[in-house]
Amino acid sequence: MTADPVTSNAAAPGAEYAETASAAYRAALQVIESVEPRIAAATRKELADQRDSLKLIASENYASPAVLLTMGSWFSDKYAEGTIGHRFYAGCQNVDTVERLAAEHARELFGAPYAYVQPHSGIDANLVAFWAILATRVEVPELAALGAKHVNDLSEADWEKLRNKLGNQRLLGMSLDAGGHLTHGFRPNISGKMFHQRSYGTDPNTGFLDYGAVADAAREFKPLIIVAGYSAYPRRVDFAKMREIADEVGATLMVDMAHFAGLVAGKVFTGDEDPVPHAHVTTTTTHKSLRGPRGGMVLAQPEYSDAVDKGCPMVLGGPLSHVMAAKAVALAEARQPAFQAYAQRVADNAQALADGFLKRDAQLVTGGTDNHIVLLDVTSFGLTGRQAESALLDAGIVTNRNSVPADPNGAWYTSGIRLGTPALTTRGFEADDFDRVADLIVDVLSNTQPSATPGGVSKAKYTLADGTAERVHAASAELLEANPLYPGLTL
Ligand code: PLP
């Protein structure tokens, strides 16, 4: 019997399915090899490296062979600007089928009235959302007031007035060092150049989101948009409360669930913790905890859906139809009961990882986690985030350094390490394995010393005690072997 590629675990497809996938990859690599052997070699090496590393990057995962194989098709060759049934190119009937299916799966999975599956990435999804909100809240009323139907009907003077208005709106989002994302109105990103931005942070004593402070900031700043969502906050958010705050000040609530979409899809976050019914517009990536292909998506309430639907060509280039097809496959996977079990394990494993640190006296931002992220404060080891990240990598543990609230080491060196459980949970890691991972991380950090410099202590250089890297490598190899990535897949 052939295993069902939709219901089988991405990390543990049934034996026959693994065999079929192996044959497909072998054939594909042979074809690639005949044109550019170095790319075939790099592709083989990437799988080997991913199999051999303890990946704790909170934003990464391992997509199923079904999702990955879907991307290598002739849909890549088709231009399809526009939207379903309304394209600027002929011959898009099969792209229509793909986009319709992906959007249908997304609506069903998240209980959303409308889904837009074209964004090429999370940043693009946020740009589509921002411009859809600006179009709905600023452009449409202004056109109506001027008695015009289309921006092309405006005089130069009226167009200039509208452009100024569009470029003078306010956005309130979570601060970067509290765990917000660069695309939530920060100056290095286009969002910070588009909006006047103000940030809300977390309670300095607890590290938890302070809803009273968010409400105060909203009342004072009167933003057009409040953005909720994060990339490095280890706690759940009450989106009903965020919506109440937005309603009180007449703001549009936009939630960026890029990081935790898998926990929403898997029904770990429900009720007030599910952003979709509370937000006017919800954006996400599809490749993090949701375990799909690299890409983005926008879900919207009906009053914003017309504007979101114009994402291409308003903000986006032609849709990546092969990726939309892979999104449809990943979303179909996420609608299976097995995905709910996976999402629950992601959250349970994060808890086990946090408990593993706490019982070894390590410091965690907010004292723990209730999502998929653990934020380890490494200052108690006498290290910066940069030193901790590099020392862990020397021992084969892949993480990323991250700011902690009011970070004394700034955004480059940082004082934290962000860890996430989605990827290793896909490999089959359980709570005991994550306790062991905490043990290995504490072992590395306790055996790392910042280097002395003429001016004091370095924020980048360090020394790792002899034997540490070898000891930890050997221990993590055992964990990785017990939980193989794509078992049965041979190239
Ligand atoms: N939004 C959040 C909250 C994120 O964490 C990220 C990526 O890390 C993004 C948006 C951007 O996603 P992408 O890299 O796909 O553009």
Side-chain angles (χ1 to χ4, degrees):
M1 200 188 80
T2 305
D4 179 348
V6 166
T7 50
S8 54
N9 185 319
E16 285 140 328
Y17 175 57
E19 208 173 289
T20 312
S22 302
Y25 279 114
R26 264 185 242 126
L29 285 164
Q30 212 177 330
V31 173
I32 297 165
E33 213 147 41
S34 71
V35 181
E36 177 44 293
R38 289 169 296 183
I39 291 297
T43 307
R44 287 174 200 280
K45 175 126 186 348
E46 180 60 23
L47 176 61
D49 288 354
Q50 292 211 18
R51 279 179 156 161
D52 290 346
S53 63
L54 207 56
K55 175 153 97 171
L56 286 153
I57 304 270
S59 50
E60 291 187 8
N61 211 327
Y62 305 105
S64 71
V67 168
L68 298 177
L69 287 167
T70 305
M71 278 186 283
S73 92
W74 19 96
F75 274 119
S76 172
D77 297 333
K78 188 76 197 97
Y79 242 117
E81 281 181 32
T83 189
I84 306 165
H86 188 81
R87 307 280 182 189
F88 293 87
Y89 288 78
C92 295
Q93 59 283 1
N94 299 314
V95 178
D96 279 353
T97 301
V98 159
E99 186 169 353
R100 191 175 288 116
L101 269 172
E104 195 178 292
H105 279 310
R107 287 196 307 273
E108 290 293 326
L109 177 64
F110 292 108
Y114 168 83
Y116 187 64
V117 296
Q118 288 194 23
H120 309 165
S121 71
I123 208 175
D124 290 6
N126 285 347
L127 271 179
V128 169
F130 289 143
W131 281 103
I133 296 166
L134 287 169
T136 307
R137 300 273 319 264
V138 179
E139 185 173 303
V140 169
E142 189 73 7
L143 285 178
L146 292 166
K149 282 214 164 72
H150 195 274
V151 284
N152 287 346
D153 302 335
L154 297 181
S155 66
E156 277 299 320
D158 285 341
W159 173 231
E160 204 46 32
K161 209 171 101 195
L162 174 56
R163 276 186 359 94
N164 275 317
K165 216 167 175 184
L166 287 167
N168 263 307
Q169 300 300 321
R170 295 174 179 192
L171 180 145
L172 179 67
M174 194 174 199
S175 70
L176 271 184
D177 73 354
H181 192 257
L182 210 59
T183 57
H184 300 175
F186 295 96
R187 290 178 188 181
N189 179 257
I190 180 81
S191 57
K193 298 168 182 28
M194 281 165 53
F195 292 105
H196 299 285
Q197 196 264 15
R198 193 169 292 181
S199 296
Y200 58 83
T202 45
D203 184 306
N205 298 316
T206 63
F208 279 68
L209 194 51
D210 179 347
Y211 296 95
V214 179
D216 288 345
R219 285 182 200 120
E220 196 196 309
F221 189 52
K222 299 203 176 13
L224 180 81
I225 304 174
I226 296 179
V227 180
Y230 52 80
S231 50
Y233 176 66
R235 295 290 173 178
R236 300 183 185 196
V237 174
D238 183 335
F239 295 108
K241 251 189 209 156
M242 293 301 287
R243 175 61 186 261
E244 249 175 58
I245 296 169
D247 284 347
E248 189 194 320
V249 299
T252 297
L253 178 64
M254 171 176 151
V255 177
D256 178 351
M257 63 170 182
H259 251 266
F260 53 90
L263 300 184
V264 179
K267 314 290 177 228
V268 176
F269 291 179
T270 56
D272 293 349
E273 294 165 355
D274 175 355
V276 180
H278 302 293
H280 297 95
V281 181
T282 304
T283 60
T284 186
T285 54
T286 46
H287 48 273
K288 304 187 205 282
S289 55
L290 195 52
R291 207 165 67 178
R294 304 201 71 78
M297 225 162 50
V298 182
L299 310 173
Q301 298 300 329
E303 67 264 40
Y304 291 92
S305 61
D306 277 356
V308 173
D309 218 40
K310 297 188 175 85
C312 167
M314 177 176 59
V315 169
L316 303 171
L320 310 178
S321 305
H322 56 307
V323 181
M324 290 198 296
K327 286 175 190 171
V329 173
L331 291 163
E333 288 177 348
R335 290 182 67 190
Q336 300 298 320
F339 192 85
Q340 292 191 13
Y342 162 72
Q344 189 58 53
R345 277 203 309 279
V346 166
D348 293 346
N349 284 342
Q351 198 77 58
L353 182 64
D355 291 346
F357 283 124
L358 293 173
K359 78 180 188 210
R360 293 172 179 91
D361 296 326
Q363 308 261 309
L364 301 181
V365 173
T366 77
T369 178
D370 50 30
N371 56 21
H372 62 297
I373 294 172
V374 173
L375 197 52
L376 178 64
D377 184 334
V378 295
T379 51
S380 62
F381 294 95
L383 301 171
T384 62
R386 173 125 188 240
Q387 287 162 328
E389 175 193 86
S390 303
L392 288 167
L393 192 62
D394 291 346
I397 302 178
V398 188
T399 65
N400 67 279
R401 65 186 185 279
N402 212 100
S403 299
V404 301
D407 200 308
N409 287 317
W412 178 249
Y413 293 108
T414 81
S415 300
I417 286 290
R418 186 185 67 163
L419 306 158
T421 52
L424 292 182
T425 301
T426 292
R427 282 185 80 130
F429 276 54
E430 302 276 0
D432 286 356
D433 301 317
F434 274 99
D435 181 64
R436 183 80 179 109
V437 169
D439 187 34
L440 297 178
I441 291 175
V442 170
D443 185 352
V444 173
L445 300 182
S446 318
N447 283 293
T448 306
Q449 290 289 327
S451 302
T453 63
V457 173
S458 172
K459 287 191 172 190
K461 298 206 172 104
Y462 60 94
T463 48
L464 194 54
D466 285 350
T468 307
E470 295 73 13
R471 180 173 68 248
V472 172
H473 259 297
S476 52
E478 267 176 37
L479 284 172
L480 293 169
E481 262 162 44
N483 299 283
L485 176 61
Y486 305 125
L489 189 85
T490 53
L491 299 183

PDB file of all heavy atoms in Angstrom, residues 361-393:
ATOM      1  N   ASP A 361      19.251  26.310  36.113  1.00  0.00           N
ATOM      2  CA  ASP A 361      19.495  27.696  36.572  1.00  0.00           C
ATOM      3  C   ASP A 361      19.808  28.704  35.481  1.00  0.00           C
ATOM      4  O   ASP A 361      20.460  29.712  35.739  1.00  0.00           O
ATOM      5  CB  ASP A 361      20.622  27.739  37.630  1.00  0.00           C
ATOM      6  CG  ASP A 361      20.229  26.985  38.872  1.00  0.00           C
ATOM      7  OD1 ASP A 361      19.023  27.006  39.196  1.00  0.00           O
ATOM      8  OD2 ASP A 361      21.107  26.350  39.480  1.00  0.00           O
ATOM      9  N   ALA A 362      19.387  28.417  34.250  1.00  0.00           N
ATOM     10  CA  ALA A 362      19.580  29.419  33.182  1.00  0.00           C
ATOM     11  C   ALA A 362      18.408  30.406  33.234  1.00  0.00           C
ATOM     12  O   ALA A 362      17.337  30.093  33.754  1.00  0.00           O
ATOM     13  CB  ALA A 362      19.641  28.724  31.832  1.00  0.00           C
ATOM     14  N   GLN A 363      18.654  31.608  32.696  1.00  0.00           N
ATOM     15  CA  GLN A 363      17.643  32.672  32.762  1.00  0.00           C
ATOM     16  C   GLN A 363      16.876  32.764  31.447  1.00  0.00           C
ATOM     17  O   GLN A 363      17.496  32.852  30.385  1.00  0.00           O
ATOM     18  CB  GLN A 363      18.339  34.024  32.940  1.00  0.00           C
ATOM     19  CG  GLN A 363      19.320  34.087  34.056  1.00  0.00           C
ATOM     20  CD  GLN A 363      18.707  34.733  35.262  1.00  0.00           C
ATOM     21  OE1 GLN A 363      18.143  35.811  35.151  1.00  0.00           O
ATOM     22  NE2 GLN A 363      18.776  34.070  36.385  1.00  0.00           N
ATOM     23  N   LEU A 364      15.539  32.795  31.547  1.00  0.00           N
ATOM     24  CA  LEU A 364      14.722  32.913  30.343  1.00  0.00           C
ATOM     25  C   LEU A 364      13.930  34.208  30.387  1.00  0.00           C
ATOM     26  O   LEU A 364      13.410  34.587  31.446  1.00  0.00           O
ATOM     27  CB  LEU A 364      13.740  31.736  30.254  1.00  0.00           C
ATOM     28  CG  LEU A 364      14.356  30.338  30.218  1.00  0.00           C
ATOM     29  CD1 LEU A 364      13.265  29.291  30.116  1.00  0.00           C
ATOM     30  CD2 LEU A 364      15.333  30.211  29.043  1.00  0.00           C
ATOM     31  N   VAL A 365      13.817  34.873  29.251  1.00  0.00           N
ATOM     32  CA  VAL A 365      12.979  36.070  29.180  1.00  0.00           C
ATOM     33  C   VAL A 365      11.538  35.621  29.436  1.00  0.00           C
ATOM     34  O   VAL A 365      11.089  34.617  28.872  1.00  0.00           O
ATOM     35  CB  VAL A 365      13.127  36.748  27.787  1.00  0.00           C
ATOM     36  CG1 VAL A 365      12.122  37.896  27.630  1.00  0.00           C
ATOM     37  CG2 VAL A 365      14.551  37.250  27.598  1.00  0.00           C
ATOM     38  N   THR A 366      10.849  36.315  30.312  1.00  0.00           N
ATOM     39  CA  THR A 366       9.482  36.014  30.820  1.00  0.00           C
ATOM     40  C   THR A 366       9.458  34.774  31.712  1.00  0.00           C
ATOM     41  O   THR A 366       8.387  34.327  32.099  1.00  0.00           O
ATOM     42  CB  THR A 366       8.405  35.833  29.713  1.00  0.00           C
ATOM     43  OG1 THR A 366       8.555  34.538  29.103  1.00  0.00           O
ATOM     44  CG2 THR A 366       8.436  36.910  28.658  1.00  0.00           C
ATOM     45  N   GLY A 367      10.594  34.185  31.997  1.00  0.00           N
ATOM     46  CA  GLY A 367      10.631  33.028  32.901  1.00  0.00           C
ATOM     47  C   GLY A 367      10.146  31.732  32.283  1.00  0.00           C
ATOM     48  O   GLY A 367       9.982  30.733  32.975  1.00  0.00           O
ATOM     49  N   GLY A 368       9.889  31.715  30.980  1.00  0.00           N
ATOM     50  CA  GLY A 368       9.437  30.462  30.351  1.00  0.00           C
ATOM     51  C   GLY A 368       8.850  30.705  28.979  1.00  0.00           C
ATOM     52  O   GLY A 368       9.205  31.667  28.297  1.00  0.00           O
ATOM     53  N   THR A 369       7.929  29.846  28.570  1.00  0.00           N
ATOM     54  CA  THR A 369       7.308  29.979  27.249  1.00  0.00           C
ATOM     55  C   THR A 369       5.905  29.385  27.290  1.00  0.00           C
ATOM     56  O   THR A 369       5.642  28.504  28.114  1.00  0.00           O
ATOM     57  CB  THR A 369       8.128  29.232  26.175  1.00  0.00           C
ATOM     58  OG1 THR A 369       7.469  29.350  24.913  1.00  0.00           O
ATOM     59  CG2 THR A 369       8.273  27.749  26.477  1.00  0.00           C
ATOM     60  N   ASP A 370       5.033  29.867  26.421  1.00  0.00           N
ATOM     61  CA  ASP A 370       3.816  29.094  26.157  1.00  0.00           C
ATOM     62  C   ASP A 370       3.519  29.092  24.658  1.00  0.00           C
ATOM     63  O   ASP A 370       2.393  28.889  24.245  1.00  0.00           O
ATOM     64  CB  ASP A 370       2.621  29.526  27.013  1.00  0.00           C
ATOM     65  CG  ASP A 370       2.376  31.011  26.996  1.00  0.00           C
ATOM     66  OD1 ASP A 370       2.686  31.653  25.986  1.00  0.00           O
ATOM     67  OD2 ASP A 370       1.847  31.537  27.998  1.00  0.00           O
ATOM     68  N   ASN A 371       4.570  29.307  23.844  1.00  0.00           N
ATOM     69  CA  ASN A 371       4.413  29.089  22.399  1.00  0.00           C
ATOM     70  C   ASN A 371       5.557  28.177  21.927  1.00  0.00           C
ATOM     71  O   ASN A 371       5.885  27.226  22.628  1.00  0.00           O
ATOM     72  CB  ASN A 371       4.321  30.423  21.641  1.00  0.00           C
ATOM     73  CG  ASN A 371       5.508  31.351  21.888  1.00  0.00           C
ATOM     74  OD1 ASN A 371       6.574  30.926  22.288  1.00  0.00           O
ATOM     75  ND2 ASN A 371       5.318  32.630  21.624  1.00  0.00           N
ATOM     76  N   HIS A 372       6.159  28.478  20.803  1.00  0.00           N
ATOM     77  CA  HIS A 372       7.198  27.596  20.253  1.00  0.00           C
ATOM     78  C   HIS A 372       8.602  28.167  20.443  1.00  0.00           C
ATOM     79  O   HIS A 372       9.570  27.611  19.943  1.00  0.00           O
ATOM     80  CB  HIS A 372       6.950  27.405  18.750  1.00  0.00           C
ATOM     81  CG  HIS A 372       7.027  28.706  17.989  1.00  0.00           C
ATOM     82  ND1 HIS A 372       6.158  29.750  18.222  1.00  0.00           N
ATOM     83  CD2 HIS A 372       7.890  29.151  17.042  1.00  0.00           C
ATOM     84  CE1 HIS A 372       6.482  30.763  17.440  1.00  0.00           C
ATOM     85  NE2 HIS A 372       7.534  30.432  16.717  1.00  0.00           N
ATOM     86  N   ILE A 373       8.685  29.328  21.131  1.00  0.00           N
ATOM     87  CA  ILE A 373       9.960  30.060  21.257  1.00  0.00           C
ATOM     88  C   ILE A 373      10.456  30.052  22.699  1.00  0.00           C
ATOM     89  O   ILE A 373       9.663  30.248  23.625  1.00  0.00           O
ATOM     90  CB  ILE A 373       9.760  31.537  20.816  1.00  0.00           C
ATOM     91  CG1 ILE A 373       9.439  31.619  19.326  1.00  0.00           C
ATOM     92  CG2 ILE A 373      10.973  32.392  21.146  1.00  0.00           C
ATOM     93  CD1 ILE A 373       9.032  33.021  18.866  1.00  0.00           C
ATOM     94  N   VAL A 374      11.756  29.866  22.854  1.00  0.00           N
ATOM     95  CA  VAL A 374      12.391  30.059  24.160  1.00  0.00           C
ATOM     96  C   VAL A 374      13.478  31.102  23.948  1.00  0.00           C
ATOM     97  O   VAL A 374      14.291  30.970  23.026  1.00  0.00           O
ATOM     98  CB  VAL A 374      13.002  28.736  24.676  1.00  0.00           C
ATOM     99  CG1 VAL A 374      13.814  28.975  25.938  1.00  0.00           C
ATOM    100  CG2 VAL A 374      11.907  27.702  24.936  1.00  0.00           C
ATOM    101  N   LEU A 375      13.467  32.141  24.785  1.00  0.00           N
ATOM    102  CA  LEU A 375      14.459  33.203  24.640  1.00  0.00           C
ATOM    103  C   LEU A 375      15.396  33.142  25.846  1.00  0.00           C
ATOM    104  O   LEU A 375      14.997  33.479  26.972  1.00  0.00           O
ATOM    105  CB  LEU A 375      13.731  34.550  24.539  1.00  0.00           C
ATOM    106  CG  LEU A 375      14.519  35.724  24.007  1.00  0.00           C
ATOM    107  CD1 LEU A 375      15.202  35.411  22.686  1.00  0.00           C
ATOM    108  CD2 LEU A 375      13.595  36.936  23.825  1.00  0.00           C
ATOM    109  N   LEU A 376      16.598  32.669  25.587  1.00  0.00           N
ATOM    110  CA  LEU A 376      17.574  32.449  26.653  1.00  0.00           C
ATOM    111  C   LEU A 376      18.421  33.701  26.823  1.00  0.00           C
ATOM    112  O   LEU A 376      19.020  34.182  25.859  1.00  0.00           O
ATOM    113  CB  LEU A 376      18.451  31.253  26.233  1.00  0.00           C
ATOM    114  CG  LEU A 376      19.580  30.826  27.142  1.00  0.00           C
ATOM    115  CD1 LEU A 376      19.060  30.335  28.480  1.00  0.00           C
ATOM    116  CD2 LEU A 376      20.375  29.687  26.458  1.00  0.00           C
ATOM    117  N   ASP A 377      18.452  34.223  28.057  1.00  0.00           N
ATOM    118  CA  ASP A 377      19.292  35.385  28.360  1.00  0.00           C
ATOM    119  C   ASP A 377      20.676  34.851  28.741  1.00  0.00           C
ATOM    120  O   ASP A 377      20.805  34.165  29.760  1.00  0.00           O
ATOM    121  CB  ASP A 377      18.657  36.168  29.522  1.00  0.00           C
ATOM    122  CG  ASP A 377      19.407  37.445  29.830  1.00  0.00           C
ATOM    123  OD1 ASP A 377      20.621  37.507  29.531  1.00  0.00           O
ATOM    124  OD2 ASP A 377      18.796  38.380  30.379  1.00  0.00           O
ATOM    125  N   VAL A 378      21.684  35.150  27.911  1.00  0.00           N
ATOM    126  CA  VAL A 378      22.998  34.530  28.134  1.00  0.00           C
ATOM    127  C   VAL A 378      23.937  35.392  28.983  1.00  0.00           C
ATOM    128  O   VAL A 378      25.094  35.029  29.185  1.00  0.00           O
ATOM    129  CB  VAL A 378      23.689  34.157  26.793  1.00  0.00           C
ATOM    130  CG1 VAL A 378      22.891  33.083  26.081  1.00  0.00           C
ATOM    131  CG2 VAL A 378      23.893  35.374  25.896  1.00  0.00           C
ATOM    132  N   THR A 379      23.426  36.516  29.504  1.00  0.00           N
ATOM    133  CA  THR A 379      24.322  37.380  30.297  1.00  0.00           C
ATOM    134  C   THR A 379      24.748  36.679  31.586  1.00  0.00           C
ATOM    135  O   THR A 379      25.835  36.927  32.100  1.00  0.00           O
ATOM    136  CB  THR A 379      23.666  38.740  30.623  1.00  0.00           C
ATOM    137  OG1 THR A 379      22.381  38.500  31.183  1.00  0.00           O
ATOM    138  CG2 THR A 379      23.530  39.618  29.411  1.00  0.00           C
ATOM    139  N   SER A 380      23.910  35.756  32.091  1.00  0.00           N
ATOM    140  CA  SER A 380      24.302  35.068  33.331  1.00  0.00           C
ATOM    141  C   SER A 380      25.483  34.116  33.090  1.00  0.00           C
ATOM    142  O   SER A 380      26.133  33.670  34.035  1.00  0.00           O
ATOM    143  CB  SER A 380      23.119  34.322  33.936  1.00  0.00           C
ATOM    144  OG  SER A 380      22.684  33.350  33.035  1.00  0.00           O
ATOM    145  N   PHE A 381      25.748  33.793  31.820  1.00  0.00           N
ATOM    146  CA  PHE A 381      26.948  33.004  31.504  1.00  0.00           C
ATOM    147  C   PHE A 381      28.144  33.929  31.233  1.00  0.00           C
ATOM    148  O   PHE A 381      29.221  33.463  30.848  1.00  0.00           O
ATOM    149  CB  PHE A 381      26.713  32.138  30.250  1.00  0.00           C
ATOM    150  CG  PHE A 381      25.675  31.050  30.450  1.00  0.00           C
ATOM    151  CD1 PHE A 381      24.351  31.252  30.090  1.00  0.00           C
ATOM    152  CD2 PHE A 381      26.033  29.829  30.999  1.00  0.00           C
ATOM    153  CE1 PHE A 381      23.396  30.263  30.263  1.00  0.00           C
ATOM    154  CE2 PHE A 381      25.084  28.825  31.184  1.00  0.00           C
ATOM    155  CZ  PHE A 381      23.763  29.051  30.815  1.00  0.00           C
ATOM    156  N   GLY A 382      27.902  35.237  31.349  1.00  0.00           N
ATOM    157  CA  GLY A 382      28.970  36.217  31.091  1.00  0.00           C
ATOM    158  C   GLY A 382      29.229  36.408  29.609  1.00  0.00           C
ATOM    159  O   GLY A 382      30.309  36.848  29.205  1.00  0.00           O
ATOM    160  N   LEU A 383      28.253  36.085  28.756  1.00  0.00           N
ATOM    161  CA  LEU A 383      28.458  36.127  27.310  1.00  0.00           C
ATOM    162  C   LEU A 383      27.500  37.103  26.646  1.00  0.00           C
ATOM    163  O   LEU A 383      26.457  37.454  27.204  1.00  0.00           O
ATOM    164  CB  LEU A 383      28.203  34.735  26.716  1.00  0.00           C
ATOM    165  CG  LEU A 383      29.082  33.601  27.244  1.00  0.00           C
ATOM    166  CD1 LEU A 383      28.568  32.257  26.736  1.00  0.00           C
ATOM    167  CD2 LEU A 383      30.540  33.815  26.836  1.00  0.00           C
ATOM    168  N   THR A 384      27.857  37.504  25.410  1.00  0.00           N
ATOM    169  CA  THR A 384      26.893  38.204  24.568  1.00  0.00           C
ATOM    170  C   THR A 384      26.172  37.146  23.722  1.00  0.00           C
ATOM    171  O   THR A 384      26.645  35.998  23.605  1.00  0.00           O
ATOM    172  CB  THR A 384      27.596  39.184  23.611  1.00  0.00           C
ATOM    173  OG1 THR A 384      28.450  38.422  22.743  1.00  0.00           O
ATOM    174  CG2 THR A 384      28.405  40.232  24.359  1.00  0.00           C
ATOM    175  N   GLY A 385      25.088  37.567  23.084  1.00  0.00           N
ATOM    176  CA  GLY A 385      24.381  36.659  22.194  1.00  0.00           C
ATOM    177  C   GLY A 385      25.283  36.206  21.059  1.00  0.00           C
ATOM    178  O   GLY A 385      25.256  35.050  20.627  1.00  0.00           O
ATOM    179  N   ARG A 386      26.109  37.133  20.578  1.00  0.00           N
ATOM    180  CA  ARG A 386      26.997  36.805  19.458  1.00  0.00           C
ATOM    181  C   ARG A 386      27.988  35.698  19.845  1.00  0.00           C
ATOM    182  O   ARG A 386      28.234  34.762  19.089  1.00  0.00           O
ATOM    183  CB  ARG A 386      27.733  38.089  19.039  1.00  0.00           C
ATOM    184  CG  ARG A 386      28.790  37.859  18.026  1.00  0.00           C
ATOM    185  CD  ARG A 386      28.641  38.700  16.799  1.00  0.00           C
ATOM    186  NE  ARG A 386      29.607  38.276  15.806  1.00  0.00           N
ATOM    187  CZ  ARG A 386      30.546  39.039  15.300  1.00  0.00           C
ATOM    188  NH1 ARG A 386      30.635  40.295  15.656  1.00  0.00           N
ATOM    189  NH2 ARG A 386      31.381  38.574  14.411  1.00  0.00           N
ATOM    190  N   GLN A 387      28.560  35.813  21.035  1.00  0.00           N
ATOM    191  CA  GLN A 387      29.512  34.777  21.481  1.00  0.00           C
ATOM    192  C   GLN A 387      28.796  33.433  21.669  1.00  0.00           C
ATOM    193  O   GLN A 387      29.308  32.387  21.276  1.00  0.00           O
ATOM    194  CB  GLN A 387      30.165  35.206  22.804  1.00  0.00           C
ATOM    195  CG  GLN A 387      31.172  36.335  22.612  1.00  0.00           C
ATOM    196  CD  GLN A 387      31.491  37.071  23.904  1.00  0.00           C
ATOM    197  OE1 GLN A 387      30.640  37.193  24.787  1.00  0.00           O
ATOM    198  NE2 GLN A 387      32.711  37.574  23.998  1.00  0.00           N
ATOM    199  N   ALA A 388      27.604  33.499  22.267  1.00  0.00           N
ATOM    200  CA  ALA A 388      26.859  32.261  22.537  1.00  0.00           C
ATOM    201  C   ALA A 388      26.482  31.582  21.224  1.00  0.00           C
ATOM    202  O   ALA A 388      26.664  30.370  21.059  1.00  0.00           O
ATOM    203  CB  ALA A 388      25.604  32.586  23.350  1.00  0.00           C
ATOM    204  N   GLU A 389      26.001  32.378  20.269  1.00  0.00           N
ATOM    205  CA  GLU A 389      25.611  31.833  18.954  1.00  0.00           C
ATOM    206  C   GLU A 389      26.806  31.130  18.292  1.00  0.00           C
ATOM    207  O   GLU A 389      26.683  30.018  17.775  1.00  0.00           O
ATOM    208  CB  GLU A 389      25.116  32.990  18.080  1.00  0.00           C
ATOM    209  CG  GLU A 389      24.776  32.643  16.657  1.00  0.00           C
ATOM    210  CD  GLU A 389      24.608  33.913  15.807  1.00  0.00           C
ATOM    211  OE1 GLU A 389      25.617  34.435  15.279  1.00  0.00           O
ATOM    212  OE2 GLU A 389      23.468  34.387  15.683  1.00  0.00           O
ATOM    213  N   SER A 390      27.971  31.795  18.327  1.00  0.00           N
ATOM    214  CA  SER A 390      29.151  31.225  17.650  1.00  0.00           C
ATOM    215  C   SER A 390      29.660  29.982  18.376  1.00  0.00           C
ATOM    216  O   SER A 390      30.021  28.986  17.744  1.00  0.00           O
ATOM    217  CB  SER A 390      30.282  32.254  17.583  1.00  0.00           C
ATOM    218  OG  SER A 390      29.837  33.403  16.938  1.00  0.00           O
ATOM    219  N   ALA A 391      29.697  30.015  19.701  1.00  0.00           N
ATOM    220  CA  ALA A 391      30.190  28.856  20.457  1.00  0.00           C
ATOM    221  C   ALA A 391      29.260  27.659  20.235  1.00  0.00           C
ATOM    222  O   ALA A 391      29.722  26.522  20.073  1.00  0.00           O
ATOM    223  CB  ALA A 391      30.284  29.204  21.944  1.00  0.00           C
ATOM    224  N   LEU A 392      27.946  27.913  20.215  1.00  0.00           N
ATOM    225  CA  LEU A 392      26.993  26.816  19.990  1.00  0.00           C
ATOM    226  C   LEU A 392      27.193  26.224  18.594  1.00  0.00           C
ATOM    227  O   LEU A 392      27.139  25.007  18.412  1.00  0.00           O
ATOM    228  CB  LEU A 392      25.550  27.312  20.171  1.00  0.00           C
ATOM    229  CG  LEU A 392      25.151  27.591  21.633  1.00  0.00           C
ATOM    230  CD1 LEU A 392      23.841  28.363  21.715  1.00  0.00           C
ATOM    231  CD2 LEU A 392      25.047  26.281  22.426  1.00  0.00           C
ATOM    232  N   LEU A 393      27.436  27.108  17.613  1.00  0.00           N
ATOM    233  CA  LEU A 393      27.653  26.620  16.249  1.00  0.00           C
ATOM    234  C   LEU A 393      28.909  25.737  16.183  1.00  0.00           C
ATOM    235  O   LEU A 393      28.927  24.716  15.507  1.00  0.00           O
ATOM    236  CB  LEU A 393      27.757  27.798  15.278  1.00  0.00           C
ATOM    237  CG  LEU A 393      27.694  27.435  13.803  1.00  0.00           C
ATOM    238  CD1 LEU A 393      26.361  26.778  13.454  1.00  0.00           C
ATOM    239  CD2 LEU A 393      27.898  28.669  12.929  1.00  0.00           C
TER     240      LEU A 393
END
